[in-house]
Each structure stands twice: as C-alpha cells, then as structure tokens.
Amino acid sequence: MTTLVYAVANHKGGVGKTTLSMNLAAGLARRGTCAVIDADPQGSATLWARIARAPQAFPAPVHAVTDHLASWLSAARPPLDYAVIDCPPAVDSPSTALALQSADVLLIPVLPSPMDLWASTRIEEMFQTVRQRNPSIRAYLVVNQADPRNAMARGMEAALQELAVPALHNKMARRASYRSAALEGVSVYDLGTRGRLAACEIEAIIEELSRL
Ligand SMILES: Nc1ncnc2c1ncn2[C@@H]1O[C@H](COP(=O)(O)OP(=O)(O)OP(=O)(O)O)[C@@H](O)[C@H]1O
Ligand SMILES: [Mg+2]
C-alpha cells in the first residue's frame, strides 16, 4: 500500500498553508489513516495540535519531520493512507525540497489579491524546478480567503487561468471559523454549526482532488 502524499507550499508567508494542511488532514482522516508532517521550523502545525484538549485530540497526529522524510513515510506503521506536509514559507529550504520530492500532489494556497498573483511567477518557477526532480507530481493552486459574499473579480479569474499551474474550482472563503479552529486546536469539522460552511469547502476540495 502506498501513501498519498500532499505537500502544501508557497514561498509567501501567511497565505494559509497551515490552515489548509490541518483542515485537509482532518477531512482525510475521516476517510483513512492520515498524519500531518510539520516540515516548518516555526512549528505552527505542532502547536495547533498541542492546543487540542483531551478528550478531543486532533484527528490526525502531527509529526515534526524535516529530515529523511521518504524513509519516515515508508516506515510508518500501520502504513498511512494519507500524509499532508505543511511546508515553511520558503521554497528553497531543504525541508521544502524534501517534501516536494516525496509528494504526489502539491497544493499551493494563494490569496485572491493582485499583489499575490503578481508574485506568482515565483510559483511557476517553483513548479518547474520541482517537476525536474519529481516528474509525476501534480500541482494545483487553492484560492484561500476568497470573499464569501462576492464572486471573484473577473480579472482575478482570468489572471489565475494564465498561470501554468491550474487552480482548483473549489476555494476556501474568508471565514472566522478557520481562525477559531486554529485557536481551539481543532479542525473546522469539530466546530459544529460554526464550522459547517468551512467543512463543506474542505470536503469539496477533497472530492475535487479525488476526481483529478
Ligand atoms: N480562509 C481563511 N479565513 C480566515 N482566516 C484565515 C483563512 N486562512 C487563513 N487564515 C488566517 O490567516 C493567518 C495565516 O494563515 P496560516 O498560518 O495558515 O498561513 P501560513 O501560510 O501557514 O503562514 P506561514 O507562512 O507563517 O507558515 C492565520 O491567522 C489564519 O488563521
Ligand atoms: Mg504555516
């Protein structure tokens, strides 16, 4: 059995890498065994899971692994169905390079702002470099903090479509529940009605990824 490995990376800080990693892992943990690999020396994913209060442990264990990632994944017992690697905001760091070598799918959260999309040539460069070492990796942009009330500006949709990396149709909206989940050390699935819309977004992302 092989583990389906998702790496969540972007050279930009604060775009939602850890938010997507933790909620995606919680959604995947409802489907099989899943662990989060915290490849970021800032340790945000580790801290997030540590806030969780017993008996409600975070549904996917978080492991800080920055070295020997591939052997760590193959040695995991029982074998994992899924792993989600939360990368630091530096695509040229050794831990990001290792993560991207081990990943089947690279997810790149992006904010729907002109400034972020102008910086996206860096994303295209990152993807080209990754592909040289890991030719079978697939990559998708995931729009985060979309305005829940307004459709995305048409210019933004057009700018996204011009990038060499395709964007998922499903997005994460800007919602207080994503912040609350982090503050409470849980995922949006565990917030009851407060987290319902966000959990639906994560489910839609997982379903879309499973069809691609
Ligand atoms: N969809 C969202 N709605 C509301 N707040 C969000 C959303 N996504 C992320 N945030 C908030 O934005 C901030 C940055 O998110 P996060 O820590 O996930 O980004 P990051 O890319 O992992 O940052 P870093 O580069 O520092 O690792 C956090 O306070 C988080 O709670
Ligand atoms: Mg982070």
Side-chain angles (χ1 to χ4, degrees):
M1 196 205 75
T2 51
T3 306
L4 181 57
V5 182
Y6 292 95
V8 182
N10 189 327
H11 61 281
K12 282 207 69 172
V15 293
K17 296 179 290 298
T18 306
T19 302
L20 174 59
S21 296
M22 295 300 274
N23 289 295
L24 175 67
L28 293 170
R30 299 160 82 91
R31 293 163 165 82
T33 51
C34 179
V36 175
I37 312 293
D38 188 357
D40 184 354
Q42 292 182 105
S44 327
T46 307
L47 292 171
W48 182 321
R50 219 176 265 164
I51 299 170
R53 282 199 215 106
Q56 195 176 27
F58 195 82
V62 179
H63 303 274
V65 184
T66 46
D67 240 352
H68 307 295
L69 191 53
S71 48
W72 187 92
L73 285 168
S74 55
R77 290 292 172 274
L80 291 164
D81 295 314
Y82 307 100
V84 179
I85 312 175
D86 182 27
C87 293
V91 286
D92 32 21
S93 84
S95 58
T96 304
L98 271 179
L100 298 181
Q101 275 169 39
S102 308
D104 299 294
V105 181
L106 163 61
L107 297 177
I108 308 167
V110 287
L111 301 181
S113 79
M115 235 84 83
D116 273 61
L117 292 179
W118 290 332
S120 53
T121 41
R122 290 282 307 274
I123 289 175
E124 294 180 318
E125 281 167 27
M126 161 172 87
F127 181 52
Q128 300 309 342
T129 315
V130 170
R131 262 242 286 245
Q132 284 166 11
R133 298 205 203 122
N134 181 354
S136 60
I137 195 169
R138 295 180 286 139
Y140 304 100
L141 304 174
V142 184
V143 174
N144 182 29
Q145 301 228 30
D147 186 334
R149 283 156 313 194
N150 296 324
M152 262 204 342
R154 213 182 270 169
M156 205 67 80
E157 292 278 9
L160 272 176
Q161 278 170 15
E162 275 172 25
L163 296 182
V165 180
L168 292 186
H169 168 71
N170 289 286
K171 305 172 176 60
M172 295 158 76
R174 185 168 60 243
R175 297 185 188 283
S177 54
Y178 284 109
R179 283 173 193 267
S180 306
L183 288 170
E184 295 172 34
V186 298
S187 76
V188 290
Y189 292 90
D190 303 309
L191 292 176
T193 48
R194 281 190 297 154
R196 197 174 54 82
L197 293 174
C200 284
E201 289 170 351
I202 300 295
E203 282 294 296
I205 287 172
I206 293 174
E207 291 301 318
E208 182 174 357
L209 284 169
S210 73
R211 289 192 303 269
L212 290 168

